[in-house]
Amino acid sequence: MLFSYFLSLWINYEKTIPTIWTDILLIRQVMKVERKILRFLFLLGIGLLPVIFRKKPAKDWFLVFFFKGYLSSFVDSIVTSKKWLNFPVRFLPKHFQINILFDYLLFPITCVAYNQISQHSKLPGIILKSFYFSIPMTFIEVLLEKYTNLIKYNKGWHWYDTLLTETCTFLLSRTCIGFVRKLDKDNKKQSFL
């Protein structure tokens, strides 16, 4: 009786080892694909940096870039600490819970492009153009959430939360740079007097 018990354990053990090994290999292949996506996005972001800062006034674009990096990392820290959203595969996972590639490179680049496009727009155009950027970004995030392990929505977070957050941060950054331009313009007027 005891022998048959151990024999059944051994038989089941031999059957599960290949399955476990195949699962491990499959997980490693998926993670390799996700790492390749991250590397591609990193290289794309680095390649776009000289392009977005070519347009004048460069100081405004640097200000938008750094403000957006700060703002998005602040929002992401809150969202990840509340466990509404997580990034299972990301750069520097031992040091950051947020997706630093998105928060410090890709999202700020997108925001600079948005600010450049909406620089001379009136309020309805500014709002409409923010959706030109936030809707495709939300769509891509939903696809990444569904088909990869780069981002995972948890209880309390949905695609419309992403859309709203991205749109609001675009508009907030546009408002801040508009305010800075107004202050800069007023300072220039006072210096001529």
Side-chain angles (χ1 to χ4, degrees), residues 139-191:
F139 180 72
I140 290 169
E141 183 176 292
V142 168
L143 290 177
L144 289 174
E145 195 273 334
K146 186 172 183 177
Y147 296 111
T148 69
N149 209 17
L150 292 173
I151 184 169
K152 291 296 172 198
Y153 294 166
N154 296 325
K155 187 178 178 181
W157 195 263
H158 305 282
W159 65 267
Y160 49 83
D161 296 317
T162 297
L163 179 66
L164 179 67
T165 304
E166 288 175 352
T167 304
C168 287
T169 57
F170 277 127
L171 294 173
L172 182 61
S173 71
R174 180 65 174 82
T175 303
C176 287
I177 196 64
F179 182 69
V180 167
R181 284 186 186 131
K182 184 170 174 37
L183 287 175
D184 196 33
K185 191 176 180 180
D186 290 345
N187 285 340
K188 285 181 182 178
K189 281 182 184 178
Q190 287 180 357
S191 66

Side-chain angles (χ1 to χ4, degrees), residues 27-102:
I27 289 169
R28 283 189 177 177
Q29 287 174 347
V30 168
M31 288 184 76
K32 284 182 182 178
V33 169
E34 290 161 345
R35 296 267 182 223
K36 286 180 182 178
I37 291 170
L38 287 176
R39 285 187 195 113
F40 169 75
L41 292 173
F42 176 73
L43 293 174
L44 178 69
I46 294 297
L48 287 174
L49 282 174
V51 175
I52 63 163
F53 290 118
R54 190 177 342 157
K55 190 175 178 180
K56 303 285 183 197
K59 70 171 179 67
D60 288 358
W61 311 137
F62 278 106
L63 185 62
V64 168
F65 184 85
F66 290 118
F67 174 75
K68 186 61 167 201
Y70 173 76
L71 182 63
S72 62
S73 66
F74 177 74
V75 171
D76 244 2
S77 294
I78 293 171
V79 169
T80 54
S81 70
K82 297 273 188 187
K83 307 253 188 257
W84 292 333
L85 193 64
N86 67 347
F87 305 98
V89 179
R90 61 189 180 277
F91 281 138
L92 303 173
K94 293 179 183 174
H95 303 288
F96 296 98
Q97 293 298 315
I98 62 173
N99 187 342
I100 60 170
L101 175 64
F102 180 75

Side-chain angles (χ1 to χ4, degrees), residues 95-114:
H95 303 288
F96 296 98
Q97 293 298 315
I98 62 173
N99 187 342
I100 60 170
L101 175 64
F102 180 75
D103 289 338
Y104 292 125
L105 184 64
L106 299 175
F107 204 16
I109 286 172
T110 309
C111 192
V112 170
Y114 160 71

Side-chain angles (χ1 to χ4, degrees), residues 1-16:
M1 183 109 175
L2 190 60
F3 177 73
S4 63
Y5 173 73
F6 285 117
L7 184 62
S8 68
L9 284 177
W10 175 254
I11 290 170
N12 289 335
Y13 177 76
E14 285 186 347
K15 288 180 182 176
T16 58

